[in-house]
Each structure stands twice: as C-alpha cells, then as structure tokens.
C-alpha cells in the first residue's frame, strides 16, 4: 500500500460510523445474512438489509398491503448485474418463470440497463438468486456501496466502436467486481459453488493483479481493491462511443468515450469523472452534478485508470456523512486539478493527455429495425416505464423461446430483440404487430424518451407517484402541445423522490416528487443530455401542471421553435422564466 493510502486507512479505522462498522464486521458481506436466511421471520433485520443491497436486493414494504396483509407486505426487490444490458435467452426465460412463480408477475427494465424483479418473499430469495446464477446471471453488486451495473450502448452493431464499448463494459464489470465478497455471494446463494465465479479476460486478470500494488492497494489481501469496508457510497461507470449518449454519460462517476482505429481496435478513451444525480430536498449541500473532463488515456492504460479512480474515491470519499459520500462531492470540494494531481501522484502511473475531439452527442434509442450484421437484424421495442407484464410479457417470452433471441436493455427502459435471422424477420414482425408493435420506431414523441422511477407503492424512499402516473402526465402534455399547435417535442422525466433514479435533473422538463401529488419543477436540460436542469418551483400540484407551464410553451412557440425547449429556457434566463411561471399563478 502506498503511504497516502496507508495513512487514509489508518485514520479510517480509528473511528468508524455505524454503516462502515457494519461492513467491516460482516465477514465480507456474509453476516448476519447467512444466519437470517434460514430463520422463519418474514423480513431481515436492519443490519442484514444493508448488506443485502450488495447482493442486489432491497427489502421493501408494500404500502398498499401493509394494513391488509402484513406478511405479504414485506417483500424483496431484486436487481440484476448485466453489463451493457445483455440478457441471454436462457436467463430471460428463467427470469420470466421466477417472476411468475415467486414474484409479482412482472419484470422491469431499469434506467441502468438491468431487469428488476418485485414481490419476492424472503423465504424464496435464495431460490430466486440461485436460479439466476445457475442460468448465466448475477445480482452481485447491483446495489450497495460498490461499483454498480456498467452501462454501454446496447445496440449489437458489429461496426465502428460498438463491439469495443460492449467488451470494455464487460471487462470493467469484472475488473471492479469484489474478490472476497464474490465468495460470500456464492456461499449464500449457491452453497459455495465456485464454478460460478466470474471468468475475466486475460487483460482483466493482469489488471486485477496490479490491485495489490502501490496506492491502488487497499491494504486488505482479501479485498485488494475495495478494502474491507468497500466504498463510501455507490459508484457508477458507463462506456460509449463518440457521439452516442444513450448511456447519459455525464451522470456517471466515471464516463468513458472509446475511440477505435480503422481496424476496430481500441485506441484509448476520453475520461469524465464526478457525475451523479442523487440529492435531498431542503439540503442545499446535496445536489445533482455533471461529470468533469479528466483527460484521454491510451488503450493500454484504460483498465488501470478506472481502478485508480475507484481507489482514490475509496480513500478520499466522505465516510462520515453518507449524504456527502459520492465522488461528485469530492470533485466539487477539491476541484478537478486536485483530483488529477492526486490520481497521478498516488494511484495512476500512466499518462493523462488532453481530450480528443468528439462529435456532438445524441440521445440514441435504436427503436425499430436495424441491420446487426450481414444476415442478422435486431429490433428495438419501446416500453414506457420499462414494465413488462401480462400479454406483452408472455408474447415476448414466446418470441425469445422460439427463436432463442438475446435481449438487450437500454438506459431509456426500452428493449432490443437481437440476433434475428433474415428468414425470421417476417414471422417475428407479424408476432410483434399482434403485441402492439406495428411501427416500433414511431412511439408518441413525448413517450419516446420519457422515463420514470418505480416510486409507489414499493419504494421506501418514494414521496409520491411516478411510474404509475407518467402515461397520464404524457397524455396531458401531448394534448396541451396539440392545442397550442406546437409540433416539437421535449424530454420529460419523472421521479417520486429527489434521489433521481430516472435522472430527472438532465431533462428539459423534470418532475421530482416533493409531497402528495406535488412535484418540484426542473427546467432547462437538453435533448442530448448535456446540461443540468434547474429547479424553478418547489411544490407544483400536479393538477396545475398545464396552466403553470403554458406561458413558457407559448414563449417557446413565439420564438419560432428553432431551439429545443431546454435551450429556450436557458436563453430566457432565470428571471424571465420565473416571471412567466408567476404569470400563470
């Protein structure tokens, strides 16, 4: 361990917060989960619940059942680890069976390109996770103070940098997976069967050996990268190709833009650091933030710079105040120059260069039919809020099972069916039309890029509704735009609380729950997700949405509609926007 890391570690062990002590005492995320799995209680204790997150699950209390069915009101949400959103056919079929038999009958595509299952009883959790592991899946580190699911453009193009970005996402997921905790995970869920360990590439194996060297080494031989208390808070990574912002790159702790040479090999990456969405109402010290550009690294150094950045956050992130623990606050407090200097002095021995030029970013969604490669196709299907249930879920299962199709999930909560042979296109198109996807590339403009978090009734943080009412909100906004004869659309995102799981602070119009049927109004993001929105109203009753924003829409229309709605808000400025909102009151 380097001197800087050693000093930080010694300071940290002198006085640990309850959250940090819990991790340290857990035997690498094993106890007390292991003992509580076998008891007859319908819920886990608080200590076990906090460790359960590292295994991909949250304990939830169904608010609409707690008065009528106190046993079933306690249930588990389970989130998968699926780098780049890839779900093999075998895994999807297993998830479909599990959700019908042991869940609430639904699957949900998340905004981090993974499936969630809801409604799992504590007594069934081991069977569910064990079945997932035995069918090519994992839930390890899908939640918790650790690197979460690694995002990448899900489109299975075999051209440009797309294959490299997908492969790099897989490699980073393996690179940043915990070592001792993986053993604990397999102990808990598949009775210690080590044949299900991740199998990293040779390049990742070499990089992981370097986790025991210099400042990157945590001091723990069992968890050389993370250390025995893991990270101060969650950590998020995304990889993309130049110009493709399907992954909301600037909202990540680490964002990588992969450049390739003419033969398709990785040249290097632009690196961005310190993005994050979560905040807390009425606490100005918490805020959403977009990532800073760090620099460009050559291909040989990409894996090393990623684990070096994580190690820096491990040592310098705030472990005393959890609301101040994300890496974005470290960047805000210390600045990018301090971050760069510290990284290169202690953790990263490669070279950081100036950023390479990138084309203007676009929010791509891959909806409709696309050529995957010669003789093979994929089709993108819009799923508003990402929820799969009923006839749609059954129909997709039939397609996946019949044709052994791979599924890839998008950050926009949509779904791609991949590896479709040319001879299969006609029959699959007919079956999709029967499921309501006659023209999958042309959903309603407002719905195309709108996303929402699950919120009520199961999320313990939800203040008010989100997923269940987004379709109605979009219908109301669509009717308003038609009435005002405005033909352009805008990017809408909605959450039931300020944690920002649907990344509302990047939207042109963001609604953030702040009371029963009341929302903060955020305005001014961009359609390509490059600028933070700003809050303009603290508590907007949802019933007043149209009358409140109509003066802004009319102002946008009067300006000619050449700019996006978010750019129009930015040009108006805070004072004029506030005046127009006041005029509607």
């Amino acid at each position: 361990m380097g001197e800087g890391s050693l000093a930080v570690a010694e300071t940290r062990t002198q006085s640990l917060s309850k959250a940090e002590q819990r991790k340290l005492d857990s035997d690498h995320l094993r106890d007390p989960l292991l003992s509580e799995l076998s008891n007859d209680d319908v819920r886990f204790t608080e200590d076990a619940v906090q460790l359960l997150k590292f295994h991909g699950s949250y304990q939830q209390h169904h608010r609409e059942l707690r008065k009528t069915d106190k046993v079933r009101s306690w249930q588990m949400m389970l989130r998968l680890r699926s780098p780049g959103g890839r779900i093999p056919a075998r895994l999807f079929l297993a998830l479909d069976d599990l959700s019908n038999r042991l869940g609430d009958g639904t699957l949900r595509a998340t905004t981090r390109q993974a499936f969630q299952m809801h409604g799992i009883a504590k007594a069934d959790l081991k069977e569910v996770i064990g079945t997932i592991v035995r069918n090519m899946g994992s839930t390890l580190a899908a939640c918790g103070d650790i690197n979460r699911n690694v995002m990448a453009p899900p489109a299975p193009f075999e051209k440009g940098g797309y294959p490299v970005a997908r492969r790099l996402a897989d490699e980073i997921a393996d690179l940043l997976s915990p070592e001792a905790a993986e053993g604990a995970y397999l102990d808990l869920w598949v009775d210690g069967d080590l044949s299900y360990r991740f199998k990293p590439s040779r390049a990742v194996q070499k990089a992981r050996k370097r986790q025991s060297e210099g400042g990157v080494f945590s001091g723990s031989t069992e968890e050389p990268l993370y250390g025995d208390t893991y990270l101060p808070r969650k950590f998020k990574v995304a990889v993309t190709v130049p110009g493709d912002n399907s992954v909301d790159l600037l909202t990540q702790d680490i964002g990588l833009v992969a450049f390739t040479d003419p033969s398709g090999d990785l040249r290097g990456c632009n690196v961005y650091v310190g993005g994050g969405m979560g905040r807390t109402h009425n606490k100005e010290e918490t805020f959403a933030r977009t990532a800073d550009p760090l620099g460009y690294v050559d291909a040989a150094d990409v894996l090393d710079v990623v684990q070096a950045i994580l190690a820096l956050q491990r040592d310098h992130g705030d472990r005393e105040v959890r609301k101040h623990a994300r890496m974005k606050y470290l960047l805000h407090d210390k600045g990018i120059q301090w971050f760069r200097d510290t990284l290169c002095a202690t953790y990263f021995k490669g070279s950081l260069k100036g950023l390479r030029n990138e084309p203007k970013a676009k929010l791509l969604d891959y909806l409709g039919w696309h050529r995957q490669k010669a003789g093979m196709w994929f089709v993108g299907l819009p799923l508003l809020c990402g929820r799969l249930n009923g006839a749609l879920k059954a129909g997709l299962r039939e397609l996946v099972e019949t044709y052994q199709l791979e599924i890839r999930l998008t950050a926009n909560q949509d779904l791609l069916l991949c590896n479709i042979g040319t001879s299969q296109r006609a029959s699959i198109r007919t079956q999709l039309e029967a499921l309501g996807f006659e023209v999958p590339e042309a959903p309603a403009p407002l719905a195309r890029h709108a996303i929402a978090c699950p919120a009520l009734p199961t999320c313990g943080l939800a203040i008010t509704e989100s997923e269940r009412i987004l379709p109605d909100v979009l219908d109301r906004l669509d009717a308003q735009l038609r009435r005002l004869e405005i033909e352009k659309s805008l990017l809408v995102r909605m959450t039931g609380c300020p944690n920002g799981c649907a990344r509302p602070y990047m939207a042109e119009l963001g609604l953030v729950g702040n009371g029963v049927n009341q929302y903060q109004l955020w305005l001014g993001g961009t359609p390509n997700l490059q600028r933070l929105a700003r809050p303009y109203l603290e508590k907007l009753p949802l019933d007043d949405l149209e009358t409140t924003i109509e003066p802004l829409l009319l102002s946008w229309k009067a300006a000619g509609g050449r700019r996006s709605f978010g750019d129009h808000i930015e040009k108006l400025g805070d004072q004029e926007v506030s005046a127009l909102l006041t005029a509607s009151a």
Side-chain angles (χ1 to χ4, degrees), residues 393-422:
K393 180 163 166 282
L396 285 175
R397 183 208 168 87
E398 183 178 349
L399 282 167
V400 170
E401 191 167 25
T402 301
Y403 302 100
Q404 288 300 294
L405 303 180
E406 181 176 277
I407 282 177
R408 290 180 181 266
L409 302 177
T410 81
N412 218 53
Q413 300 179 295
D414 298 323
L415 179 151
L416 314 183
L417 291 177
C418 306
N419 305 336
I420 299 170
T422 299

Side-chain angles (χ1 to χ4, degrees), residues 509-531:
L509 190 157
L511 295 170
V512 179
N514 196 16
V516 178
N517 295 323
Q518 295 188 95
Y519 296 81
Q520 277 187 339
L521 177 66
W522 289 69
L523 301 167
T526 60
N528 64 345
L529 305 169
Q530 294 292 290
R531 182 178 62 227

Side-chain angles (χ1 to χ4, degrees), residues 444-515:
L446 277 172
R448 182 163 192 146
H449 292 153
I451 56 179
C453 68
L456 296 176
T458 53
C459 178
L461 299 174
I463 299 169
T464 190
E465 296 280 2
S466 182
E467 177 189 333
R468 295 195 294 193
I469 64 168
L470 180 66
D472 180 60
V473 169
L474 296 178
D475 286 344
R476 288 167 51 187
L477 289 172
D478 182 63
Q480 184 177 21
L481 292 175
R482 290 175 183 273
R483 176 172 55 81
L484 298 177
E485 299 180 336
I486 295 174
E487 296 182 359
K488 292 189 74 170
S489 189
L490 59 149
L491 179 63
V492 179
R493 290 179 170 180
M494 190 173 196
T495 59
C497 86
N499 262 31
C501 292
R503 303 187 288 275
Y505 310 116
M506 302 298 289
E508 293 184 275
L509 190 157
L511 295 170
V512 179
N514 196 16

Side-chain angles (χ1 to χ4, degrees), residues 163-288:
V164 163
R166 294 194 300 270
R167 183 167 63 250
L168 189 53
D170 285 335
E171 289 183 334
I172 291 171
D174 289 342
L175 177 75
L176 303 184
S177 65
E179 191 165 318
E182 185 183 6
Y185 178 83
L186 297 176
D187 281 349
L188 263 69
W189 310 112
V190 289
D191 299 321
D193 189 339
L194 299 183
S195 68
Y196 293 108
R197 275 193 177 275
F198 299 134
K199 297 172 177 61
S201 68
R202 184 172 298 177
V204 172
Q205 291 177 38
K206 290 181 177 179
R208 286 181 68 112
K209 288 181 180 178
R210 294 193 289 275
Q211 292 174 359
S212 297
E213 301 172 0
V216 174
F217 183 42
S218 69
S220 168
T221 56
E222 295 181 284
E223 286 287 13
L225 179 60
Y226 283 105
D228 298 331
T229 53
Y230 299 88
L231 294 179
R233 283 298 292 267
K234 58 188 174 184
F235 197 85
K236 299 180 178 181
V237 181
V239 186
T240 191
V241 301
D244 183 334
N245 197 24
S246 58
V247 298
D248 231 344
L249 190 82
L250 298 181
T251 67
Q252 315 289 334
D253 290 273
I254 302 178
L256 300 174
V257 180
F259 292 83
T260 53
D261 62 24
S263 64
D265 294 326
L266 180 65
R267 270 185 173 160
C269 292
N270 280 347
V271 184
Y272 298 83
V273 291
M277 292 286 96
R279 46 177 293 277
T280 302
H281 286 318
N282 304 316
K283 291 188 180 295
E284 293 186 2
E285 66 273 21
T286 67
F287 45 81

Side-chain angles (χ1 to χ4, degrees), residues 476-477 480 483 542-551:
R476 288 167 51 187
L477 289 172
Q480 184 177 21
R483 176 172 55 81
L542 195 58
D543 289 344
D544 297 342
L545 176 61
E546 291 94 332
T547 56
T548 300
I549 67 170
E550 185 146 324

